[in-house]
Amino acid sequence: MTERFVSEHFKSPDSHLVATDGLQYQQPSITHGRTDIVSLTPWLAPIVWEGTFNPVLLDSVYQKKNISIAVTVFAVGKYIMFMKDFLETAEQHFFVGFRVHVHVFTDRPNEVPKVKMADGRKLSVHSVPNSKRWQEISARRMEMIQKLIEEKLKGDMDYIFCLDVDSKFHGRWGTESLGELVAVIHPGYYRDHRSRFPYERRSASRAYMAPDEGDFYYCGGAFGGLLKEVHQLAQTCRKNFEDDAKEGIEAAWQEESHLNRYMWINKPSKVLSPEYLWQDFKPRNPEILIIRFSGVVKNYNDIRPN
Ligand code: UDP
Ligand code: MN
């Protein structure tokens, strides 16, 4: 699919931000704010942390635009057990008051729990094959995201977020997270030097990152943006993964490695702090004022096929 096709077939929401006249909110400051975190990348993309945005203001701006958000979530094999908590907590915290369409990909369509969803929110189930290797399940997500966007979403939804199922929402995840290309900083490495990031380090792989390369280590468990941008990301990561496979190489962390390579070259326009994907087993660091979404503790031996 050519770039030309992509730009002609995806609508983008109007970038004009219209405020609600009469809305009262705290005066913003350019000299006072959080001093314990960095909220801008060197390419001037916002890094979203609690205390850097006004949710009421942002929601009022985006409500006017009547935006819609697609979500993809994969629950293959035993991972179906995470689906209920994921869906129930998404109802409580994820884009509350907005149009949300959750796309569940599973080999067990009959086991997708029935969760009551608010008006304007819906769920679709897509059948996918099982696999003997978790690496393959994880890696094939990019292909399915690419196809979903091409076949079902274009011209219909505005934004998309692709999320791991083994996680729960604990706090607001909303309009502050919207952007053209959105990456989430992995909670495990954000205080480390880039040479220690678990990037793919073999130059034979298309996901290769040299020791002196890399901005942040982003997680494969959450990313998103405009359909057009996420389509390009999924298509590129899928192709690089498959071309690697033809040469007998699988990147260290499968599609997460390819995503990190992609985001190094294609800088995200918005970066979400580790508030947006924490891990339940990790003690909360002091700069984490709120945990919005977090991976549950799981026993890999019990749930993965290999
Ligand atoms: N996944 C799945 N079934 C599997 C393995 C993985 O559905 O057997 C999907 C699921 O959405 C999961 C994601 O792939 O959240 C990534 O795998 P996992 O969460 O195990 O990776 P981790 O977050 O532990 O690195
Ligand atoms: Mn996970």
Side-chain angles (χ1 to χ4, degrees), residues 104-109 125-129 144:
V104 175
F105 293 81
T106 182
D107 58 332
R108 302 182 183 190
V125 178
H126 307 269
S127 285
V128 296
M144 293 183 225

Side-chain angles (χ1 to χ4, degrees), residues 59-72:
D59 280 357
S60 80
V61 166
Y62 283 94
Q63 281 292 359
K64 287 197 181 57
K65 293 152 95 61
N66 194 26
I67 53 157
S68 54
I69 298 112
V71 176
T72 62

Side-chain angles (χ1 to χ4, degrees), residues 219-291:
C219 56
F223 57 89
L226 288 178
L227 289 187
K228 175 172 169 288
E229 291 289 335
V230 175
H231 179 266
Q232 192 187 314
L233 168 126
Q235 187 178 37
T236 306
C237 291
R238 174 198 173 185
K239 182 163 193 322
N240 288 340
F241 184 90
E242 289 176 356
D243 289 350
D244 268 11
K246 282 181 202 144
E247 294 171 10
I249 188 158
E250 183 176 275
W253 291 101
Q254 298 81 38
E255 89 285 21
E256 183 172 83
S257 305
H258 288 280
L259 176 129
N260 270 280
R261 173 75 209 175
Y262 185 88
M263 296 281 187
W264 167 239
I265 302 300
N266 305 270
K267 303 294 194 203
S269 61
K270 189 167 276 184
V271 174
L272 305 183
S273 71
E275 298 166 357
Y276 289 82
L277 188 41
W278 198 250
Q279 286 169 331
D280 284 355
F281 68 78
K282 256 179 93 68
R284 194 174 56 78
N285 288 338
E287 64 274 14
I288 305 294
L289 303 184
I290 175 177
I291 294 173

Side-chain angles (χ1 to χ4, degrees), residues 31-52:
T31 52
H32 289 98
R34 285 188 65 174
T35 54
D36 57 338
I37 46 97
V38 174
S39 59
L40 215 48
T41 68
W43 60 95
L44 301 181
I47 306 175
V48 182
W49 292 91
E50 178 68 359
T52 62

Side-chain angles (χ1 to χ4, degrees), residues 72-80 82 105-107 130-131 133-135 137-139 141 163-167 186 220-221 253-256 277 279 295-296 298 300 303-306:
T72 62
V73 61
F74 290 76
V76 179
K78 291 184 185 162
Y79 278 61
I80 192 79
F82 300 116
F105 293 81
T106 182
D107 58 332
N130 201 335
S131 170
R133 290 180 68 239
W134 63 264
Q135 293 90 336
I137 295 169
S138 173
R141 286 193 288 183
L163 304 173
D164 262 18
V165 73
D166 59 330
S167 349
H186 196 292
W253 291 101
Q254 298 81 38
E255 89 285 21
E256 183 172 83
L277 188 41
Q279 286 169 331
V296 302
K298 60 189 193 290
Y300 287 104
I303 53 163
R304 280 182 173 173
N306 60 312

